[in-house]
Amino acid sequence: GDSVTQMEGPVTLSEEAFLTINCTYTATGYPSLFWYVQYPGEGLQLLLKATKADDKGSNKGFEATYRKETTSFHLEKGSVQVSDSAVYFCALSALSGANNLFFGTGTRLTVIP
Amino acid sequence: DGGITQSPKYLFRKEGQNVTLSCEQNLNHDAMYWYRQDPGQGLRLIYYSQIVNDFQKGDIAEGYSVSREKKESFPLTVTSAQKNPTAFYLCASSIGTGLRGEQYFGPGTRLTVT
């Protein structure tokens, strides 16, 4: 079945460091891929998405590229800020059937000044 | 402002009691979802509804029940049959199948059962 494997955390970085959070997926066909972010005590917010191979999603300085050959969708940011501290979830949505999301286990990022 | 509201933010119950979590949306979305979040396990789908008066079980529906009598509302009841009810519960909605995967989440309800 469809699934997402996400880099385990927690991840602690200094401000302005480079961030990579790895995400790989297993799915039939070509799913849509997403990164959601959860700030402390809140629900999830869509951060970025990609709907087909080689698409690059980007938002707020974060980027992720849909790599079909490696079934990956790694999240990157060139210079993290303290305000980026949150839990990041990789997710996929199959092309057919109900619009259900399959989530990874989440990666907690803490950025220290 | 459009969005999803969940109430209350924190809920405490004694073991053996049923409890209902509220979820309301004013986004005019057709589909609504309930997820459970436990530490280190990500989100797991409990129930979802694509249209009014219809809903389907997700991956972990045992011990839960839902109703969808109105488009805006999708309450979740945690019954006494749910063995480990203490968790963070998230409600979400989406337009439908038109924009796959774009779900909008409420702020969540943290349920503690003792």
Side-chain angles (χ1 to χ4, degrees):
Chain A
D2 297 344
S3 67
V4 173
T5 301
Q6 192 174 337
M7 167 181 162
E8 291 198 16
V11 174
T12 302
L13 295 173
S14 297
E15 206 165 20
E16 298 184 3
F18 184 85
L19 169 71
T20 299
I21 301 178
N22 291 337
C23 172
T24 57
Y25 67 89
T26 302
T28 303
Y30 305 105
S32 294
L33 300 173
F34 306 84
W35 278 100
Y36 280 80
V37 59
Q38 184 179 32
Y39 297 103
E42 298 182 9
L44 277 68
Q45 302 173 25
L46 178 64
L47 181 60
L48 54 84
K49 69 174 184 179
T51 58
K52 60 182 188 294
D54 299 325
D55 264 4
K56 177 186 281 188
S58 61
N59 186 26
K60 299 181 182 179
F62 291 90
E63 293 183 339
T65 301
Y66 188 164
R67 301 282 189 204
K68 183 169 72 74
E69 61 276 12
T70 54
T71 62
S72 65
F73 193 55
H74 305 321
L75 182 69
E76 296 182 336
K77 186 174 186 182
S79 176
V80 293
Q81 305 301 313
V82 172
S83 57
D84 293 327
S85 298
V87 181
Y88 292 83
F89 292 92
C90 186
L92 72 81
S93 175
L95 281 177
S96 61
N99 184 21
N100 295 341
L101 283 171
F102 296 88
F103 285 91
T105 54
T107 301
R108 180 177 299 279
L109 169 67
T110 301
V111 180
I112 55 178
Chain B
D1 286 339
I4 299 179
T5 57
Q6 290 185 245
S7 60
K9 192 169 178 65
Y10 299 95
L11 194 51
F12 298 88
R13 281 292 183 272
K14 294 289 188 186
E15 197 173 316
Q17 294 178 334
N18 291 356
V19 58
T20 297
L21 281 60
S22 166
C23 177
E24 304 278 333
Q25 55 100 358
N26 61 3
L27 299 167
N28 199 32
H29 285 172
D30 289 315
M32 296 187 75
Y33 312 80
W34 274 105
Y35 293 92
R36 170 182 171 136
Q37 185 177 18
D38 296 283
Q41 294 194 46
L43 277 71
R44 293 181 290 169
L45 184 65
I46 304 172
Y47 269 97
Y48 64 97
S49 167
Q50 293 183 282
I51 55 171
V52 174
N53 292 322
D54 187 52
F55 48 83
Q56 285 79 40
K57 293 181 179 180
D59 300 320
I60 55 165
E62 185 176 348
Y64 299 98
S65 65
V66 294
S67 62
R68 186 86 188 277
E69 297 175 1
K70 299 186 298 182
K71 189 174 185 178
E72 309 80 45
S73 179
F74 191 42
L76 173 74
T77 296
V78 184
T79 74
S80 57
Q82 168 50 232
K83 291 183 172 30
N84 296 297
T86 294
F88 189 49
Y89 290 89
L90 287 161
C91 179
S93 70
S94 68
I95 290 173
T97 57
L99 288 173
R100 300 203 70 82
E102 287 195 37
Q103 294 184 11
Y104 294 78
F105 284 80
T109 292
R110 187 167 297 281
L111 173 64
T112 302
V113 177
T114 57

